[in-house]
Amino acid sequence: AYMTTEGAPVFLWDLRKALPDAIELTDTSFATNLLSLVPSGKEYKVFNGHVDVFFNKQSLFDSLAFEVSYQKDSTLSNSIVTLGNRNVPLKGYIDIVLKPDGDFQDKEHTAIYQVYGRKSFGYVGGDWKDGNIEARIRSFGDFTVLTDSVAPTIKPLIVNRDRVVFKLDDKLSGLKKIKATLN
């Protein structure tokens, strides 16, 4: 319908009418992963084989062409579900229900984590119900389910008459509460 100043064609697509499955450019095809057009200011539910997403009236700033993708990650030996575009902010929370592939035996120490890069994870949490795990999130991005099997560590850095300094570390779930006493 239009041409850029360099002569390349530009096509406009009204996402309110239909969501494309893919975009084809010459001999290349790109999957859009668009699942649904989510209206703002309304409760809306999106269901998928890997995740269910529940938007409330305050979740979005504006209507959203919502995308979901799923991939197996060989380094994690687990799956990663990508919800939306991480550059699109949420106005409020959304509730998600992840449907993990594996059978997680230690559900008490297994939770949803947001994936940041190759080996960096942010604890989200979650409650197990009927083999699925539910959580409330405040940003789009990549999510996975991991079991935290390594206990937190505490290492003394400075211990003398004037000062006591420790380093606390937890690889996955983080430290919820720290209480230090001195006698």
Side-chain angles (χ1 to χ4, degrees):
Y2 301 95
M3 300 292 267
T4 64
T5 55
E6 293 82 25
V10 175
F11 298 93
L12 301 177
W13 186 271
D14 188 349
L15 295 176
R16 295 172 296 181
K17 294 182 180 178
L19 297 175
D21 294 331
I23 298 170
E24 293 183 14
L25 302 171
T26 29
D27 60 347
T28 307
S29 180
F30 301 95
T32 63
N33 299 317
L34 294 174
L35 193 60
S36 183
L37 188 62
V38 180
S40 63
K42 296 181 181 179
E43 290 184 1
Y44 196 82
K45 299 175 184 176
V46 177
F47 299 100
N48 178 285
H50 305 288
V51 63
D52 296 337
V53 183
F54 304 92
F55 295 87
N56 64 47
K57 292 179 182 179
Q58 288 78 34
S59 293
L60 301 174
F61 287 103
D62 199 357
S63 294
L64 172 72
F66 185 60
E67 55 189 302
V68 173
S69 64
Y70 168 86
Q71 65 183 6
K72 279 296 242 186
D73 188 292
S74 58
T75 58
L76 288 178
S77 300
N78 204 354
S79 58
I80 295 177
V81 177
T82 302
L83 301 176
N85 179 334
R86 73 177 68 239
N87 297 320
V88 175
L90 286 169
K91 183 178 178 185
Y93 289 94
I94 60 175
D95 294 309
I96 63 171
V97 178
L98 288 182
K99 304 169 187 177
D101 294 341
D103 182 25
F104 295 93
Q105 299 298 321
D106 187 7
K107 289 188 171 48
E108 183 181 347
H109 295 103
T110 303
I112 297 173
Y113 291 85
Q114 190 160 6
V115 181
Y116 303 104
R118 292 191 83 56
K119 291 188 178 184
S120 182
F121 306 98
Y123 178 77
V124 174
D127 297 313
W128 286 91
K129 186 175 181 181
D130 299 327
N132 299 325
I133 185 166
E134 305 173 358
R136 181 168 276 186
I137 61 173
R138 185 63 200 262
S139 64
F140 291 129
D142 299 334
F143 297 89
T144 190
V145 178
L146 298 173
T147 301
D148 185 3
S149 58
V150 179
T153 60
I154 182 168
K155 178 180 167 186
L157 297 178
I158 301 170
V159 179
N160 61 36
R161 197 177 76 122
D162 301 320
R163 217 166 136 193
V164 177
V165 177
F166 293 95
K167 179 183 178 185
L168 302 153
D169 190 30
D170 193 7
K171 296 295 180 198
L172 273 183
S173 63
L175 301 168
K176 184 175 184 180
K177 183 178 177 181
I178 299 170
K179 181 180 179 181
T181 60
L182 181 63
N183 185 350

